[in-house]
Amino acid sequence: MISEELQQLLLQYCEPEDELLQHIDRETNLKVLMPRMLSGHYQGRVLSMLSKMISPQNILEIGTFTGYATLCLAEGLSANGTIYTLDINAELEDMVRENFAKSPLNSKINYIIGDAQESIGNIKETFDLVFIDADKKNNGTYYDLIFDQVRPGGLIIVDNVLWSGKIVKNAQDKDTKNISSFNDKINADQRVEKLILPVRDGLFVIRKK
């Protein structure tokens, strides 16, 4: 969505990745299918900044992948805070747990493998921040499931809402239509304030009133 020149400028004027995040980026690109699902440096710094701005006690992440965004979000946790991160891909579990074990934030991370819709029902917490980055067709389902558990003033952030520019082009494939319907659902929801940040593949930042 943005030029390579602008991307390089943005990276020049944001905080650097630490060594562990650089390692996760390299390992994901070398060993994992669809490495573009990784949040990456700039988006990771955006997630970290948003988390730090509200110092959350409890974060819920739906879609762990290789753990990059998890660690970025966890940087903002309050002293006794916890991030619950949910993923269905058991094949990546060993890699992800190894990555988390290398982080000083490891004790704050509750990594849960299984169906996210079932896992959400088992977590009896109020969330300050939720990051939805899983199977896109269920964005609306996840949003509805977690909404009542988000505190007033809390944030819900949803990734990939521009879908490689296909939303702008009004593409008619099934995936694009699903994401467009979700975007319209949020736009019509009077319980929240919202805006889309054109960061990487589009971040919908939603604040519960």
Side-chain angles (χ1 to χ4, degrees):
M1 294 291 292
I2 64 173
S3 69
E4 181 62 26
E5 292 81 5
L6 178 54
Q7 178 67 24
Q8 292 305 312
L9 182 70
L10 295 174
L11 291 174
Q12 181 181 345
Y13 288 98
C14 76
E15 293 297 303
E17 293 174 298
D18 63 28
E19 290 184 5
L20 178 55
L21 292 175
Q22 291 176 19
H23 167 77
I24 294 172
D25 192 318
R26 287 193 302 270
E27 188 177 52
T28 302
N29 278 280
L30 286 171
K31 299 179 180 179
V32 180
L33 292 174
M34 299 182 68
R36 70 183 301 275
M37 291 170 58
L38 186 95
S39 287
H41 183 180
Y42 185 71
Q43 180 170 308
R45 291 305 88 205
V46 172
L47 295 174
S48 173
M49 180 72 77
L50 290 170
S51 181
K52 288 173 179 175
M53 289 172 76
I54 63 172
S55 298
Q57 176 67 31
N58 290 307
I59 299 174
L60 175 64
E61 178 185 40
I62 304 173
T64 312
F65 194 42
T66 54
Y68 190 104
T70 315
L71 293 172
C72 294
L73 291 164
E75 291 174 14
L77 282 167
S78 60
N80 297 313
T82 300
I83 180 167
Y84 298 84
T85 183
L86 316 179
D87 205 284
I88 199 166
N89 190 349
E91 292 182 2
L92 291 175
E93 182 176 3
D94 289 344
M95 177 191 291
V96 175
R97 291 197 185 279
E98 184 177 326
N99 289 334
F100 289 162
K102 296 174 182 176
S103 171
L105 299 169
N106 186 40
S107 64
K108 296 175 178 281
I109 301 170
N110 191 339
Y111 177 41
I112 302 169
I113 294 291
D115 182 88
Q117 294 184 45
E118 295 179 8
S119 299
I120 290 168
N122 295 327
I123 303 173
K124 309 302 181 183
E125 298 284 2
T126 298
F127 296 110
D128 306 287
L129 193 160
V130 176
F131 182 46
I132 301 175
D133 186 17
D135 52 323
K136 308 308 168 185
K137 67 179 181 296
N138 281 316
N139 279 349
T141 300
Y142 297 136
Y143 180 83
D144 291 337
L145 281 172
I146 58 90
F147 192 86
D148 289 343
Q149 289 178 254
V150 178
R151 67 164 173 84
L155 296 181
I156 304 168
I157 305 170
V158 186
D159 199 8
N160 306 112
V161 295
L162 296 179
W163 204 232
S164 300
K166 291 182 179 180
I167 295 297
V168 178
K169 297 174 183 176
N170 197 31
Q172 294 301 301
D173 61 278
K174 185 177 180 180
D175 289 339
T176 304
K177 286 183 176 180
N178 283 338
I179 291 170
S180 183
S181 294
F182 173 76
N183 293 346
D184 289 342
K185 171 188 176 78
I186 301 304
N187 195 41
D189 192 341
Q190 298 302 307
R191 303 170 298 172
V192 298
E193 301 169 273
K194 58 272 183 180
L195 57 82
I196 293 176
L197 296 179
V199 173
R200 199 161 171 268
D201 203 23
L203 288 175
F204 219 142
V205 181
I206 304 156
R207 179 181 180 274
K208 186 174 180 179
K209 293 179 181 178

